[in-house]
């Protein structure tokens, strides 16, 4: 985790700037100042946030308090969070945020037949992408961890999280960022905002119009291998007045180990990082938590199974960028309803 933090922050800031530009881009040149749109930016959960909304007053303090509350539930990097206390076996008590996250995670685990699984944490740690230091990932270690992995080995019962084995660890990273966008969006709506865009680490919830009275524009980044994240070329732009969208990719968080590429998406069934031609998965879903978890599930499943899964789900779309070994080019595979969201 300590590796290249500055590069990661640089990467995240670059994405933030990109989304900023898109959010403000407009086809019409409106000279009227829109004094009621606020822009709040900062860092949270080891990533950036970039939140825009129309309101009578700035709400950054309220938003930050909401994010701190969220961190105190679901961040594995906060040793006193609900999820950390459960991981440390100091408590088995859950809270509302944890329970909502858990229900989404369980649903996506079931839909994806275990491709998405929050009990993957010990493997994520072993491969060096988690909240504990990386160890050499020997087959022996992987074999010893596998009995601790499996979403059916945990359950939620009357505000208690039950584990079949005390050594089971949970990692909500692949759903929490998206869920935090839902929570901030709910907060803004409860405060009377109808026009907003909440972007936390590239996961987005938007509603209404931007300050130029246009639908919000959100870029889908080209999946170019780049651990510094300075590459922010846009592959496509999604425009909407009401959407939850998340992207997973293996082009920023990876390393090479003896010539083998290791990415941060782990297949819970094999214990190994996934390594296939699906470079990034962008998902639109009824909630951003669901979009986020589905995006990771798709990265595990690979493009064919991912497309099948997404086509089965209501109000859910995908935009998959796949490396085609025959043409040696990236190609796009998208669900039937995705075209509706892409810029004409
Ligand atoms: P991305 O933007 O690529 O989706 P995320 O941070 O949202 O990145 O999710 C990746 C993180 O999810 C990993 O760093 C790891 O903590 C966790 N993770 C990896 N594989 C899985 C999996 N199969 N199921 C659930 N979580 C996973
Ligand atoms: Mg994600």
């Amino acid at each position: 985790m300590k590796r290249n933090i500055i590069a990661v922050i640089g990467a995240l800031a670059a994405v933030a700037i990109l989304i900023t530009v898109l959010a403000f881009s407009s086809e019409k040149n409106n000279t009227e100042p829109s004094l009621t749109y606020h822009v709040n930016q900062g860092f949270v959960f080891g990533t950036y946030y970039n939140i825009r909304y129309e309101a009578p007053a700035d709400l950054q303090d309220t938003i930050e308090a909401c994010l701190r509350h969220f961190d105190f539930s679901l961040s594995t990097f906060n040793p006193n969070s609900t999820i950390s206390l459960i991981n440390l076996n100091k408590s088995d008590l859950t809270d509302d945020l944890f329970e909502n996250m858990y229900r989404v995670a369980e649903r996506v685990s079931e839909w994806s037949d275990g491709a998405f699984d929050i009990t993957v944490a010990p493997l994520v740690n072993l491969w060096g992408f988690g909240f504990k230091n990386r160890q050499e990932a020997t087959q022996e270690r992987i074999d010893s961890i596998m009995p601790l992995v499996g979403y059916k080995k945990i359950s939620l019962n009357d505000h208690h999280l039950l584990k079949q084995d005390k050594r089971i660890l949970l990692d909500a990273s692949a759903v929490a960022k998206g869920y935090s966008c839902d929570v901030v969006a709910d907060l803004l709506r409860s405060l009377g905002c109808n026009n907003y865009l909440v972007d936390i680490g590239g996961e987005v919830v938007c509603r209404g119009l931007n300050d130029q009275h246009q639908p919000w524009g959100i870029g889908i980044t080209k999946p170019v291998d780049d651990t510094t994240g300075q590459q922010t070329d846009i592959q496509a732009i999604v425009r909407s007045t009401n959407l939850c969208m998340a992207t997973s990719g293996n082009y920023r968080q990876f390393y090479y180990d003896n010539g083998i590429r290791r990415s941060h998406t782990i297949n819970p069934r094999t214990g190994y990082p996934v390594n296939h031609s699906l470079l990034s998965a962008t998902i639109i879903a009824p909630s951003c938590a669901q979009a986020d978890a589905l995006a990771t599930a798709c990265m595990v499943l690979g493009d064919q199974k991912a497309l099948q899964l997404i086509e089965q789900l209501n109000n859910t779309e995908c935009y998959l960028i796949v490396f085609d070994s025959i043409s040696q080019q990236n190609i796009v595979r998208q669900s039937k309803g995705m075209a509706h969201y892409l810029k004409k």
Side-chain angles (χ1 to χ4, degrees):
M1 285 320 296
K2 309 225 163 60
R3 92 211 111 74
N4 236 339
I5 287 274
I6 293 175
V8 172
I9 298 216
L12 296 168
V15 177
I17 290 163
L18 188 72
I19 289 180
T20 304
V21 171
L22 285 169
F24 273 106
S25 69
S26 163
E27 275 127 41
K28 116 179 150 177
N29 187 11
N30 190 345
T31 48
E32 251 177 58
S34 301
L35 298 175
T36 50
Y37 272 83
H38 302 266
V39 182
N40 296 161
Q41 290 167 330
F43 287 91
V44 66
F45 323 137
T47 188
Y48 71 87
Y49 72 82
N50 180 1
I51 300 170
R52 293 151 192 280
Y53 49 91
E54 190 183 36
D58 187 279
L59 299 167
Q60 188 157 19
D61 289 348
T62 315
I63 292 169
E64 290 216 336
C66 171
L67 291 172
R68 270 197 303 278
H69 178 65
F70 193 93
D71 189 89
F72 215 74
S73 176
L74 291 175
S75 169
T76 45
F77 295 93
N78 178 340
N80 298 312
S81 67
T82 303
I83 195 166
S84 292
L85 295 181
I86 289 172
N87 281 342
L88 294 164
N89 299 306
K90 287 188 180 170
S91 165
D92 63 359
L93 279 178
T94 57
D95 58 39
D96 286 354
L97 291 170
F98 184 96
E99 288 168 19
N100 291 336
M101 175 285 293
Y102 183 89
R103 283 187 205 104
V104 174
E106 190 180 39
R107 201 180 313 146
V108 174
S109 294
E110 272 160 16
W111 287 343
S112 65
D113 198 17
F116 179 86
D117 193 326
I118 56 170
T119 65
V120 78
L123 290 169
V124 175
N125 289 336
L126 179 71
W127 287 104
F129 297 104
F131 48 89
K132 283 190 181 169
N133 287 339
R134 174 179 162 194
Q135 286 179 291
E136 200 197 337
T138 59
Q139 189 61 48
E140 204 182 356
R141 284 201 174 112
I142 294 168
D143 291 344
S144 71
I145 289 174
M146 290 307 274
L148 308 177
V149 177
Y151 69 98
K152 291 184 179 158
K153 295 172 185 166
I154 53 170
S155 58
L156 186 61
N157 192 346
D158 194 22
H159 310 298
H160 295 268
L161 194 280
L162 309 179
K163 301 179 187 179
Q164 275 183 17
D165 186 308
K166 290 274 179 215
R167 293 169 299 167
I168 291 174
L169 297 175
L170 309 182
D171 175 359
S173 307
V175 53
K177 250 188 300 165
Y179 182 34
S180 68
C181 293
D182 292 327
V183 169
V184 172
D186 285 349
L187 171 75
L188 291 173
R189 213 165 25 236
S190 74
L191 295 170
C193 302
N194 294 315
N195 298 304
Y196 54 78
L197 178 139
V198 179
D199 166 16
I200 301 179
E203 325 302 16
V204 175
V205 174
C206 69
R207 197 180 170 96
L209 301 174
N210 67 14
D211 67 328
Q212 306 292 314
H213 312 293
Q214 298 291 314
W216 298 96
I218 307 144
I220 299 178
T221 316
K222 275 193 183 155
V224 179
D225 272 4
D226 172 33
T227 49
T228 71
Q230 301 306 317
Q231 289 277 356
T232 49
D233 290 355
I234 287 294
Q235 165 112 17
I237 296 175
V238 164
R239 294 204 181 266
S240 179
T241 55
N242 189 1
L243 149 145
C244 302
M245 185 172 107
T247 298
S248 277
N250 279 325
Y251 50 98
R252 291 211 171 108
Q253 298 285 333
F254 67 87
Y255 60 86
Y256 280 91
D257 180 21
N258 287 325
I260 303 173
R261 187 189 172 99
R262 304 299 190 193
S263 70
H264 76 156
T265 310
I266 313 291
N267 185 338
R269 296 186 212 117
T270 63
Y272 280 80
V274 297
N275 207 351
H276 50 56
S277 57
L278 177 55
L279 305 176
S280 82
T282 296
I283 307 294
I284 293 173
S287 77
C288 201
Q290 204 158 296
D292 199 2
L294 279 169
T296 293
C298 287
M299 289 308 296
V300 175
L301 291 171
D303 59 300
Q304 243 146 345
K305 285 187 182 162
L307 201 57
Q308 273 173 18
L309 169 64
I310 298 302
E311 289 291 17
Q312 282 170 20
L313 301 175
N314 289 333
N315 303 315
T316 307
E317 307 299 339
C318 68
Y319 183 95
L320 310 175
I321 305 177
V322 185
F323 180 72
D324 178 43
S325 57
I326 298 169
S327 65
Q328 292 285 303
Q329 280 181 347
N330 291 352
I331 55 166
V332 173
R333 302 193 69 190
Q334 66 189 55
S335 58
K336 294 195 186 80
M338 188 69 207
H340 167 75
Y341 292 95
L342 296 169
K343 192 187 173 194
K344 307 284 171 326

